[in-house]
Amino acid sequence: MTAPRRVDGDFLDLPRHALADAAMSAALSAGASYADLRIHAITSEIVQLRDSELQTAVVDREIGLAVRVIVDGTWGFASHAELSADVAAETARRAVQVARTLARLNAERIELAPEPVYADTSWVSDYRIDPFSVGITDKLAVLGEYSERLLAADGVDHVSAGLHTAKEQTFYADTFGSTITQQRVRVQPSLEAVAVDAAAGTFETMRTLAPPTARGWEYVVGDDVWNWTDELAALPTSLAEKVKAPSVTAGPTDLVIDPSNLWLTIHESVGHATEYDRAIGYEAAYAGTSFATPDKLGSMRYGSPVMNVTADRTVEYGLATVGFDDEGVQAQKWDLVRDGIFVGYQLDRVFAPRLGVGRSNGCAYADSPHHVPIQRMPNVSLEPAADDVSTDDLIARVDDGIYIVGDKSWSIDMQRYNFQFTGQRFFRIRDGRLDGQLRDVAYQATTTDFWGSLEAVGGPSTWRLGGAFNCGKAQPGQVAAVSHGCPSALFRGVNVLNTRTEAGR
């Protein structure tokens, strides 16, 4: 049995409790009714190769402390890069001053939802090999060897390879008595092959389907977690078929959508739409509000009866999986859509009371010690069928349609309602079987029409976690990593566009 992972010693050696004591004491003495301290360390590495040649190798490290306070019902916030007791105390006093300055502008008194106290608690994500324990030479060797496999194949002209890794360590303390230390890592490996038609002046690309994940280096090297051997061997053939594939005929079409594509549609049309701050207009300038307003909660039909969507900060290897959020709330799982009906929101400790809910569901996160925690998306996932329906079973139910694999570009309006998505690989379905690839495919719908056309979902064996490192929100902008699980799914009569025709080519 593998011993449980521990938070790195260099982070544990920081004077975490002394900084918390200094900040809490100073904040209360200055007139705050509540205060919390967050020590936040983030290390990220980006490595990029082009045709096996190194293009980028960057390591970025950030550490600092942040203090939030409530003074007479108004938030105050301040941060600093230096970790000392004197600085923590002074930062707390600055946060109090900020709250007093903002008080005249505050129209809504801050009320925090209650949460149990978690004293001296620790949580570490589930990974085997810390990616930051692996040297750059070894990383370049693996990415270079993967690149060479693709470059050796006929029809592949160029290959881009990349690896993005991150480690986050946090210490949280508040005046209620919680003290929580956490550490999590994530990795995102990717290879993309390019085929160039110089005579026609065109090109096609195809990327590996391995999603970003909250695992370690074991995900990147070897085939124990992800089968790189088979994927890299199959990719050139798939790319060659795509180059020669006919262009799609536009019109209403039955679609079977693979989890490698559907995760992004879930992210945009369900994940962002069920953020409570967005639904009530707090998040409007950056990327719009939401059609899923509070008056529709519990009554609006979001999709067909087979649509069941959960929010989950506990799912194994989820990018948004944590032990506790940045307000000291323990990770949870809850419903957003049940039997096709809109039933839940994502909440933090301030928005829960405003919705009339007794407890936050743990959706506060800040991407830097110098940013305020805001309501951020948990892992939002479409549940599979109880019976183990396979992807082939879904395809067999389609006489004439398209099977869509892999994500690419997308567009959605400022209400998270009208959208258009493309993909990487499109296979024509004829008489219940795959019959070659197509090109230039996009599908377009409104959120409720699309999910209303959901006829069936695959079983547990088809369920996969997709996701992204770079979900953006807020002003100043913050970036968060989030996963979305889903099975393969069958949709009837979705409007398919020909992207080449739409572009006037």
Side-chain angles (χ1 to χ4, degrees), residues 150-166:
L150 294 175
L151 287 167
D154 291 339
V156 175
D157 295 293
H158 300 286
V159 173
S160 296
L163 175 66
H164 187 178
T165 58

Side-chain angles (χ1 to χ4, degrees), residues 289-312:
T289 56
S290 172
F291 76 96
T293 49
D295 58 302
K296 299 172 183 174
L297 187 64
S299 60
M300 181 182 72
R301 177 155 291 284
Y302 215 107
S304 75
V306 300
M307 182 189 187
N308 295 289
V309 178
T310 59
D312 190 354

